[in-house]
Amino acid sequence: TTQPAEVQDPGETQKPGIPEEVWEGQKGTAEGPTGTHRVQFHTEKKMQLALEASAEENAARMKRKRCEAQSEMCSPADWIRQDDWPVGIRNVGNTCWFSAVIQSLFHLPVFRRLVLNYHLSERILEKCKSHSDKRNIAFMQELRCLFALMVGSTRRFVDPSAAVELLRDAFRTSEAQQDVSEFSHKLLDWLEDAFQLAANGNNPEDKQKNPMVQLFYGTFVTERKHEGKTLHNIEQFGQYPLQVNGFNNLDECLEGAMVEKEIESLHSDHIVTFVQFWCCRWFKKLPPVLTFELSRFEFNTQLGRPEKIHKKLEFPQIVYMDRYLHKNIDQTHERRGEVKKLKEQLALLQQKLECYKNYGSGPTKYPLADMLQFVLEFATTKPTSISPAEDLRPAASSPTPANHPVSEPASKDNRCKSQISSVSSCQRTPIYKPFTQCRHPLDCPPHPAPHSITEEELHFVKTCLQRWRTEVENDINELKASIDKLTQVLEGMYSDNSLCQVPYRLHAVLVHEGQASAGHYWAYIYDHGNKRWMKYNDISITESSWEELERDSFGGMTNASAYCLMYIDDRLPHLITEDTDDETGQVLRGIDSLPPLLRRYVHEDNRWFQQELSEWEEQFCQTAAPQGESTASAEPPSTSSDNIQQTPVKPGVILAIAKARQTFDTEGPEAGLIKAFHEEYSRLYELSQEETTPQEDARLQHALVYFFQNKAPKRIIERTLLEQFTDRNLSFDERAISIMREARAKLRLIKPQDMDMDEYMQWHDDYRLFRTVFVYLLTGLEHYQIREALIYLAHAYETNDGLLRNGEKRGVDKSLIALYRRKCLTALNERASRLFCSGEESKVEEGVAIMDEAVIPCLHLMSRDTALSLEDRDAMESIRSHWCCCLGQDMDDSLQVKLGEFLPRVLDGSADTVVLKDPPKVHVHQAHDLCSRLAAVMESIHNASIVIVK
């Protein structure tokens, strides 16, 4: 057999297909590789290249992490995204803070659009020579990949390792601290710098065009008054810090940050002087996204370590920022003056109330109303004839009654126990509160009473005490009412419309649980579309509520509390609106909202994920299936392209790597890969030249044989074979691992413009359909005597017919499937006729079912085939004639009725619509299995011997 030139010469193979630089690497200077035949490389194209190729690495990372996390196999459903449920982010080692920050930003549609549509012109890229610029571009590239996967991935969670490592590397090389807040600030700084490159300049005007500045940065004005002069200073802010200690809610924090303060400044240039001045802050311009950083960590100088502040701090879902704006300074000053007066009045009232509640000149305080009541009770208690001293004597000489509780003495000395008990009974005489217990129990000792009191004295005391007690209670009630009224007035001081024009709605709450030195982070994010709170905890995403958010975020109860609040301007709907189609105006969801390049990237990653699931299913089936189970397993075919990378590794690849051993050892992994590539290429090409027989079809052995016979484009063939060498299961020795890594590196160098992925996927889809045709055909022949057999064969014919429209070698020999379909149709029709004519009810029903489910739909499909063979037409006529003859036979009236119901459909395929029943789901097995099944079935048919297909 004559081989094509590309098989004979390794240097010629790659020129018409995969670009030459894929095999030779990216050589040359920063301006581009050397050589006249090589494509000029620019940074933008490298970015596109990395986007396309990193899908495979992401898939490998995800599978590796999954294997590390799971000690045994679990259901693939645990790793598949459900509908449009948000995608989680894997914790790759103390990166929960990154997940919380990124999820908060990603679920802000305006920011998500900025990242996904980030673009730098070639002219700007040529100027980016510094390390920081290249690093920021690389970080934006990884963030775009991450966001794209979070939009359209079929995975339940994605891996952020590449972006996180860039952040960590910066701290390893130039920073000493690795604090979470430092990481967060570094992340935002890089984003700002990256967008500044797109703004194309560093002057103040260009910086104002920076989308990050426009979205997240505002300005505040600081006013300083010193010696009668007022100084103004305008500063920019991003995440605005707020103190937690000393405040109860967010408004108090803001008031504390804005209010005037007296500051002492120390100047030490040989002379020590103290300068006093007043300082206050006002927001000059608020950003659309307003972020408050709550200072919940402080350094304890005595212990020499940071500590967390667990104090409770409340915050609202909507905060009005009017009173903190510089433009409202006069109105706010006026309100603050009123508030100050009201607070002074409130403090005075609370002080008076406190005096009533805690009265007394000694160290112990009591409520004044209770004290008056106690005196009244003392005055009205009748004196007894026994003195208190005499009352103690009998108690000391007799046992303590059971109904007189006494304190257990600290000492257990029996000699003085009775004496101590008697004294304790006197000391523990209960004091009865007014309102709750007005009478003494009969079994309790009497209260102290005056030794003597006249009726006149008693009347005078009772009258005064009762009047005073009533006055005190009235005063307390009036104070409480005044305090409530003042509190309501204070709460409503900033609630009128004039100071409620700038509403900010809570978008995200970032929570920390633990201590200052260690802990865990997660985020609560508001789903604006569905009006609900969601909890994002690494890979776990659950629907939440405001009540749960309060419990976890306010602090004070547990060691969990909010450390960052993200509010958005409620007047700007574009912040939360999703992308829409320019022509139709419909909302773009999922992968449709991505730019074309990222869309291809996500498609590629999803393809890797589907392949990974297929591998899992293969391994699970091989592990779980019992011996002797039928190969027609009731499992669904893979929804991916079902390309040739399956587990275990193709034997041809292993053999090719073995043949390349000498080249690998002498020239290295790249040369070893090229040698192995050509060995397998040549073997498969020779295999494609062999003649196809009913017993053997080489196309089942490998997709490349199918591609060769159908003259697929060279780039499709070469990428397919190159992917064969990237199989993750090539880990049986170091040589195979090196070749696998080299193949992956080559695969990453194939740029989007070099490969039409839609065309690539179409070829692999055709090959999957080709194998599906064989599965239907073989399953139908293996189950020849049941009605499902005809359904399998009919589907095989229809699917195969669609393939053959694109080429003679695209499908199976049409006459072969037609032959067995015709034989099965005739046999099933005869069986249905025998059952129907038997007259037994159960058999009649079974015969009618065979006709309705299999025979009649198959007849209809055959009648609509314009290229139907003469043999098939004769078989159809024979079946129709047979049922027509049944009309003249003697049979029960019920049978005549049933015959009259389905006979018109037998005779006329256009009488109504009959849909062929879907066949049971079957698994598209590996090449060796299909080849052996084909040989076994054909042997069984031609030799009339029983063959067990393993």
Side-chain angles (χ1 to χ4, degrees):
T1 304
T2 304
Q3 298 181 5
E6 62 268 23
V7 178
Q8 300 171 2
D9 182 7
E12 295 295 326
T13 304
Q14 53 270 30
K15 289 182 181 177
I18 296 178
E20 184 178 359
E21 58 269 15
V22 171
W23 299 104
E24 297 188 2
Q26 299 182 27
K27 303 176 182 178
T29 64
E31 287 75 18
T34 59
T36 57
H37 296 290
R38 298 184 185 128
V39 179
Q40 295 294 321
F41 279 87
H42 296 287
T43 311
E44 176 70 10
K45 293 181 180 179
K46 292 178 183 178
M47 288 177 62
Q48 295 177 353
L49 168 64
L51 281 174
E52 187 76 14
S54 63
E56 186 268 347
E57 286 300 324
N58 181 65
R61 275 200 306 270
M62 293 298 293
K63 184 176 183 181
R64 183 176 66 254
K65 296 291 184 182
R66 187 171 76 182
C67 294
E68 292 171 358
Q70 303 295 323
S71 58
E72 58 183 16
M73 286 193 296
C74 58
S75 171
D78 295 337
W79 311 102
I80 300 175
R81 180 181 184 180
Q82 300 298 318
D83 299 326
D84 58 349
W85 196 253
V87 174
I89 300 178
R90 174 178 281 282
N91 190 328
V92 291
N94 299 324
T95 58
C96 49
W97 67 270
F98 181 85
S99 301
V101 173
I102 290 299
Q103 291 281 22
S104 302
L105 294 173
F106 171 82
H107 288 282
L108 191 60
V110 63
F111 180 77
R112 184 167 67 241
R113 284 191 292 270
L114 283 177
V115 172
L116 293 175
N117 295 304
Y118 180 79
H119 175 75
L120 294 178
S121 66
E122 192 170 317
R123 181 176 60 84
I124 295 176
L125 286 167
E126 291 175 353
K127 297 180 180 179
C128 297
K129 303 296 184 182
S130 67
H131 171 73
S132 61
D133 286 346
K134 293 179 180 179
R135 178 202 61 203
N136 293 339
I137 292 173
F139 181 76
M140 281 301 301
Q141 171 185 311
E142 294 300 338
L143 193 61
R144 290 184 72 202
C145 289
L146 190 63
F147 273 28
L149 291 175
M150 293 169 71
V151 169
S153 179
T154 54
R155 304 175 188 270
R156 189 165 69 89
F157 53 85
V158 293
D159 191 314
S161 298
V164 171
E165 282 304 311
L166 287 171
L167 279 170
R168 284 176 172 167
D169 287 342
F171 279 86
R172 293 190 190 106
T173 55
S174 60
E175 301 287 345
Q177 296 181 347
Q178 294 194 27
D179 184 69
V180 166
S181 61
E182 292 293 329
F183 274 121
S184 301
H185 284 288
K186 181 68 67 178
L187 185 150
L188 295 176
D189 287 344
W190 285 11
L191 290 172
E192 180 187 353
D193 293 342
F195 279 104
Q196 191 59 50
L197 294 173
N200 192 20
N202 292 315
N203 57 58
E205 291 77 13
D206 289 329
K207 286 189 176 181
Q208 293 306 314
K209 299 177 183 178
N210 189 325
M212 284 289 293
V213 173
Q214 294 176 346
L215 191 59
F216 292 98
Y217 287 80
T219 57
F220 63 83
V221 56
T222 304
E223 292 186 352
R224 292 179 173 86
K225 296 180 180 179
H226 175 55
E227 297 179 354
K229 296 181 180 179
T230 302
L231 304 176
H232 297 271
N233 185 33
I234 298 178
E235 300 178 51
Q236 190 179 64
F237 72 91
Q239 299 183 65
Y240 197 86
L242 292 175
Q243 295 297 322
V244 173
N245 266 343
F247 305 108
N248 298 313
N249 55 57
L250 182 62
D251 279 319
E252 289 185 8
C253 291
L254 288 167
E255 286 283 353
M258 301 288 124
V259 76
E260 295 181 350
K261 299 178 182 177
E262 186 177 5
I263 300 176
E264 293 183 349
S265 178
L266 175 64
H267 297 268
S268 57
D269 45 353
H270 305 293
I271 300 176
V272 178
T273 59
F274 289 90
V275 180
Q276 290 186 338
F277 57 88
W278 292 92
C279 174
C280 63
R281 283 182 174 182
W282 301 87
F283 287 117
K284 184 74 173 177
K285 178 187 176 184
L286 290 172
V289 180
L290 180 58
T291 305
F292 295 121
E293 192 177 73
L294 304 182
S295 300
R296 284 199 172 270
F297 302 97
E298 62 181 3
F299 190 80
N300 189 322
T301 55
Q302 295 180 345
L303 299 177
R305 65 187 184 191
E307 290 185 339
K308 184 178 179 182
I309 302 170
H310 295 289
K311 185 183 183 302
K312 182 178 181 180
L313 184 77
E314 299 179 356
F315 48 85
Q317 295 195 56
I318 295 182
V319 59
Y320 293 95
M321 298 298 297
D322 304 73
R323 56 171 153 158
Y324 310 114
L325 293 176
H326 188 261
K327 67 178 182 179
N328 297 329
I329 183 171
D330 294 334
Q331 188 177 6
T332 305
H333 268 312
E334 181 182 348
R335 294 292 173 91
R336 284 180 179 173
E338 296 176 9
V339 169
K340 185 178 180 181
K341 293 179 182 179
L342 291 174
K343 284 185 175 180
E344 290 174 353
Q345 296 177 23
L346 182 63
L348 183 60
L349 293 175
Q350 290 173 338
Q351 186 178 1
K352 289 182 179 180
L353 182 61
E354 188 65 23
C355 290
Y356 281 106
K357 290 182 176 180
N358 296 283
Y359 188 83
S361 58
T364 306
K365 311 292 183 181
Y366 299 96
L368 180 56
D370 289 352
M371 293 176 67
L372 293 172
Q373 178 67 19
F374 296 157
V375 175
L376 178 62
E377 291 176 0
F378 171 77
T380 55
T381 303
K382 293 181 179 181
T384 60
S385 60
I386 302 175
S387 67
E390 293 175 341
D391 189 50
L392 287 174
R393 283 194 295 272
S397 60
S398 61
T400 303
N403 55 357
H404 289 111
V406 296
S407 299
E408 182 70 18
S411 173
K412 300 298 182 180
D413 191 352
N414 294 327
R415 290 174 299 178
C416 58
K417 184 173 182 180
S418 61
Q419 295 178 356
I420 297 174
S421 299
S422 64
V423 175
S424 300
S425 68
C426 178
Q427 292 173 344
R428 288 178 57 88
T429 300
I431 297 177
Y432 296 95
K433 295 284 185 180
F435 315 117
T436 60
Q437 193 170 355
C438 297
R439 295 187 305 167
H440 309 301
L442 296 177
D443 55 354
C444 291
H447 276 282
H451 287 199
S452 63
I453 186 169
T454 65
E455 289 294 330
E456 184 180 357
E457 289 174 336
L458 179 60
H459 175 72
F460 177 76
V461 170
K462 284 180 64 176
T463 304
C464 291
L465 289 176
Q466 287 175 346
R467 185 179 74 251
W468 292 342
R469 180 169 170 267
T470 302
E471 291 174 356
V472 168
E473 289 176 348
N474 290 337
D475 289 346
I476 290 175
N477 291 332
E478 289 178 2
L479 284 171
K480 288 181 177 180
S482 299
I483 289 173
D484 291 340
K485 184 177 180 180
L486 275 179
T487 303
Q488 291 178 1
V489 173
L490 279 172
E491 291 176 351
M493 283 299 293
Y494 298 100
S495 299
D496 60 281
N497 290 334
S498 62
L499 290 178
C500 293
Q501 301 298 312
V502 187
Y504 271 74
R505 182 176 297 276
L506 187 62
H507 166 69
V509 179
L510 276 63
V511 180
H512 174 267
E513 181 182 35
Q515 302 302 323
S517 57
H520 180 60
Y521 296 85
W522 68 85
Y524 288 100
I525 304 172
Y526 190 65
D527 181 355
H528 301 275
N530 296 306
K531 308 297 181 185
R532 62 184 178 181
W533 283 98
M534 303 289 289
K535 183 178 180 180
Y536 292 80
N537 191 351
D538 289 334
I539 66 173
S540 173
I541 301 174
T542 55
E543 187 172 348
S544 184
S545 64
W546 176 251
E547 290 72 26
E548 182 184 3
L549 188 152
E550 284 183 340
R551 290 195 300 269
D552 286 350
S553 305
F554 282 3
M557 299 296 292
T558 64
N559 59 355
S561 56
Y563 73 95
C564 185
L565 307 176
M566 187 179 293
Y567 285 87
I568 60 175
D569 195 332
D570 208 28
R571 302 165 299 171
L572 304 176
H574 75 276
L575 297 176
I576 57 175
T577 53
E578 301 290 343
D579 289 332
T580 56
D581 186 87
D582 294 335
E583 296 181 359
T584 64
Q586 294 181 344
V587 176
L588 296 175
R589 301 189 182 279
I591 203 168
D592 294 333
S593 63
L594 297 176
L597 183 64
L598 290 176
R599 197 178 307 158
R600 290 197 296 271
Y601 165 73
V602 175
H603 275 307
E604 183 73 4
D605 185 79
N606 287 341
R607 185 177 69 83
W608 280 99
F609 182 50
Q610 289 295 336
Q611 176 189 326
E612 188 179 330
L613 294 179
S614 299
E615 293 175 1
W616 188 95
E617 290 175 358
E618 287 281 356
Q619 294 173 0
F620 182 80
C621 292
Q622 293 173 4
T623 304
Q627 291 293 330
E629 184 180 354
S630 171
T631 54
S633 174
E635 294 187 27
S638 173
T639 56
S640 68
S641 61
D642 194 28
N643 66 9
I644 59 174
Q645 296 185 70
Q646 298 185 27
T647 304
V649 183
K650 296 288 185 181
V653 173
I654 299 175
L655 181 60
I657 292 175
K659 291 182 178 179
R661 176 177 180 176
Q662 183 176 358
T663 304
F664 177 90
D665 294 339
T666 57
E667 302 180 36
E670 183 176 9
L673 170 63
I674 294 175
K675 174 64 175 176
F677 182 93
H678 286 288
E679 287 288 345
E680 182 68 353
Y681 191 102
S682 301
R683 183 185 74 83
L684 294 173
Y685 180 81
E686 292 176 2
L687 192 60
S688 70
Q689 304 305 305
E690 295 181 0
E691 184 179 355
T692 300
T693 65
Q695 290 79 17
E696 295 181 359
D697 193 327
R699 290 174 296 176
L700 290 175
Q701 297 186 30
H702 206 290
L704 257 63
V705 176
Y706 181 84
F707 293 168
F708 277 130
Q709 291 192 5
N710 287 284
K711 296 181 171 50
K714 191 176 183 62
R715 59 184 177 275
I716 303 294
I717 294 174
E718 292 184 349
R719 177 177 178 125
T720 301
L721 184 55
L722 185 60
E723 283 188 347
Q724 182 77 82
F725 286 89
T726 65
D727 197 313
R728 303 180 188 88
N729 295 283
L730 285 173
S731 55
F732 46 84
D733 61 20
E734 290 299 326
R735 184 186 305 105
I737 293 174
S738 298
I739 288 179
M740 174 189 66
R741 291 173 178 170
E742 189 67 30
R744 292 184 180 184
K746 301 295 186 187
L747 190 64
R748 287 195 295 270
L749 294 178
I750 302 177
K751 300 182 289 297
Q753 58 268 32
D754 297 327
M755 180 69 62
D756 186 345
M757 289 305 297
D758 292 337
E759 181 187 22
Y760 178 83
M761 298 298 291
Q762 185 59 56
W763 274 97
H764 282 277
D765 285 343
D766 285 352
Y767 183 61
R768 178 182 59 81
L769 287 177
F770 168 77
R771 287 158 58 87
T772 303
V773 168
F774 259 100
V775 172
Y776 288 157
L777 173 61
L778 296 176
T779 308
L781 295 178
E782 289 164 354
H783 301 80
Y784 195 72
Q785 295 300 321
I786 61 176
R787 78 182 72 165
E788 283 79 8
L790 182 58
I791 298 175
Y792 280 116
L793 294 171
H795 275 285
Y797 187 91
E798 293 298 316
T799 306
N800 188 65
D801 191 54
L803 286 174
L804 291 178
R805 294 192 188 102
N806 297 323
E808 181 183 353
K809 292 290 185 177
R810 289 294 185 101
V812 185
D813 183 2
K814 191 174 183 178
S815 61
L816 182 69
I817 303 178
L819 170 65
Y820 296 117
R821 181 185 65 173
R822 186 168 59 250
K823 288 179 177 294
C824 186
L825 175 64
T826 303
L828 272 181
N829 183 72
E830 291 176 355
R831 182 185 175 195
S833 176
R834 288 195 303 271
L835 292 170
F836 186 84
C837 294
S838 68
E840 297 181 17
E841 184 176 355
S842 60
K843 294 182 178 180
V844 170
E845 292 298 330
E846 184 181 355
V848 172
I850 292 175
M851 295 299 296
D852 287 338
E853 294 179 10
V855 176
I856 294 177
C858 186
L859 290 173
H860 283 210
L861 290 175
M862 293 172 66
S863 65
R864 295 167 190 174
D865 186 0
T866 56
L868 196 66
S869 66
L870 180 60
E871 293 83 356
D872 283 339
R873 295 183 186 279
D874 292 341
M876 291 174 62
E877 287 301 320
S878 175
I879 292 172
R880 289 166 176 166
S881 299
H882 171 78
W883 287 106
C884 287
C885 292
C886 290
L887 287 174
Q889 297 178 5
D890 293 333
M891 61 180 65
D892 293 340
D893 293 341
S894 60
L895 291 183
Q896 288 286 355
V897 172
K898 291 182 183 295
L899 180 60
E901 288 176 354
F902 70 78
L903 184 58
R905 291 184 288 132
V906 174
L907 299 177
D908 185 6
S910 62
D912 56 0
T913 302
V914 178
V915 179
L916 183 65
K917 182 180 177 181
D918 290 335
K921 300 296 184 181
V922 293
H923 188 74
V924 180
H925 295 268
Q926 295 188 24
H928 175 75
D929 181 47
L930 289 178
C931 292
S932 62
R933 286 176 65 187
L934 176 62
V937 167
M938 291 303 169
E939 180 183 355
S940 175
I941 291 174
H942 292 290
N943 297 336
S945 60
I946 299 176
V947 177
I948 298 176
V949 180
K950 295 183 180 180

